[in-house]
Amino acid sequence: MLGSHVPELRALELLVEVARAGSLSAAADAQGITQQAASSRIRTMESLIGAPLLVRTRRGSALTPTGDLVVQWAGRVLEAAAQLDAGIAALRSDRRGHLRIAASLTIAEHLLPGWLVAVRADQVLAGHEPTDFTMTATNSQRVVELVTAGEVDLGFVEGPDSPAGLHHRLVGRDELVVVVAREHEWAQRSRRRVAASTLAATPLVVREAGSGTRTVLERALAGLPVAAPALELSSTAAVRAAVAAGAGPAVIGAHAVRDDLATGRLVAVTVTGLDLTRRLNAVWRDGAQPPAGPARELVARAVRSHHGT
């Protein structure tokens, strides 16, 4: 443990600069501080050491014997500090250079690619080396597990609630929509509308347990008699294909079925008396803010994208 007599590194740098330049004012200029601030640093060091370090001469400032001895010791200290600073800079550079991400499937497939492209473009514009991103696409429950275990640096999840045990930031909201095949009886109705109780009583094509989509659906239908699923599938693409093939209705994120609805491959059905809104959250393990660097930049970009800026 360091004692109470060790000067600050900036003060030691100043003293070494005085020895080199032969003048306190020249040393202050070299460090970008005022002569008054430089004098204050010297006085503080002299108080800590208990002896004068400089004497004024007609040519400027000269080291006392004690000052000369402190400069010799300071050289080794400053060299070690420079090595430490270089090592920390390398660690920070490595953290900027690579970011591990996990995201729920809807976010991974339909939102995250655009965010990553925008972040890299911002970095290039700012003159920074673009970050290499590694992404794992999985369900929301698994994303939380990966972030909690420290296997990824940042996660994005969807669901009705914020995940417990992790720091989080709301980056947007998404609506789930009920979709059916063009030939399904619900698509033939003039108003394409069903009651929540009807949806609950119908065997649906659903995602696996642990997915954000499944969690939102189960929460929305809580308290209603719910039919067993027609199919349980592990990807949004598989759900969409099964619905188009006539396996039954499904509840899917609006982003995931935008193209299917535009082409008429699937048909959206309105459900009365049901809230199918879900939260999109960025999650991380430590600190009130996302990790500094590309993780924080990515979260900020996600928020701006949701607000159209």
Side-chain angles (χ1 to χ4, degrees):
M1 183 175 178
L2 289 176
S4 59
H5 306 298
V6 178
E8 294 182 351
L9 292 177
R10 294 298 184 193
L12 291 175
E13 285 183 323
L14 175 65
L15 188 63
V16 170
E17 187 63 30
V18 172
R20 186 194 67 79
S23 163
L24 184 61
S25 60
D29 289 341
Q31 286 207 332
I33 60 176
T34 65
Q35 184 168 347
Q36 182 180 6
S39 297
S40 176
R41 288 184 183 179
I42 295 297
R43 287 195 300 271
T44 299
M45 276 196 299
E46 290 176 334
S47 176
L48 287 172
I49 294 168
L53 301 176
L54 296 179
V55 292
R56 292 193 174 276
T57 68
R58 284 181 293 180
R59 295 183 179 181
S61 299
L63 296 175
T64 65
T66 299
D68 188 61
L69 187 59
V70 171
V71 165
Q72 294 179 43
W73 292 335
R76 296 193 294 270
V77 172
L78 293 174
E79 182 180 356
Q83 293 175 352
L84 176 61
D85 184 58
I88 292 173
L91 288 174
R92 290 175 60 87
S93 176
D94 183 63
R95 289 190 66 182
R96 283 202 62 88
H98 184 219
L99 183 68
R100 303 168 300 168
I101 310 165
S104 60
L105 292 182
T106 296
I107 296 175
E109 294 173 357
H110 302 281
L111 297 173
L112 189 55
W115 299 342
L116 296 179
V117 169
V119 167
R120 287 176 65 89
D122 291 342
Q123 291 173 338
V124 171
L125 188 62
H128 298 152
E129 188 71 21
T131 300
D132 289 328
F133 297 102
T134 301
M135 184 184 72
T136 299
T138 184
N139 65 43
S140 292
Q141 179 178 315
R142 181 58 179 155
V143 171
V144 169
E145 292 171 354
L146 291 172
V147 174
T148 301
E151 295 182 34
V152 298
D153 307 302
L154 183 69
F156 290 95
V157 297
E158 56 205 53
D161 302 311
S162 304
L166 292 174
H167 298 277
H168 62 273
R169 177 167 299 169
L170 180 69
V171 299
R173 287 183 170 84
D174 185 27
E175 294 288 336
L176 298 181
V177 295
V178 177
V179 293
V180 296
R182 287 179 294 183
E183 299 79 12
H184 193 277
E185 60 174 300
W186 293 354
Q188 308 307 313
R189 299 180 181 182
S190 58
R191 299 182 66 184
R192 293 178 180 169
R193 186 182 299 269
V194 298
S197 57
T198 301
L199 179 69
T202 303
L204 303 175
V205 180
V206 298
R207 285 283 307 283
E208 79 284 5
S211 78
T213 301
R214 176 80 172 265
T215 302
V216 172
L217 176 61
E218 291 175 344
R219 180 75 61 85
L221 296 178
L224 295 173
V226 178
L231 284 174
E232 185 177 288
L233 302 169
S234 62
S235 75
T236 303
V239 172
R240 291 163 48 216
V243 173
V251 179
I252 308 180
H255 288 288
V257 292
R258 183 175 297 155
D259 291 343
D260 293 316
L261 297 178
T263 61
R265 181 172 180 250
L266 299 178
V267 176
V269 177
T270 301
V271 181
T272 58
L274 203 63
D275 180 11
L276 292 174
T277 303
R278 61 180 173 178
R279 299 165 59 92
L280 308 179
N281 278 299
V283 295
W284 61 95
R285 192 170 67 171
D286 301 314
Q289 298 293 326
R296 192 172 298 178
E297 294 165 8
L298 181 57
V299 172
R301 169 54 64 178
V303 172
R304 290 200 302 271
S305 296
H306 180 72
H307 289 91
T309 59

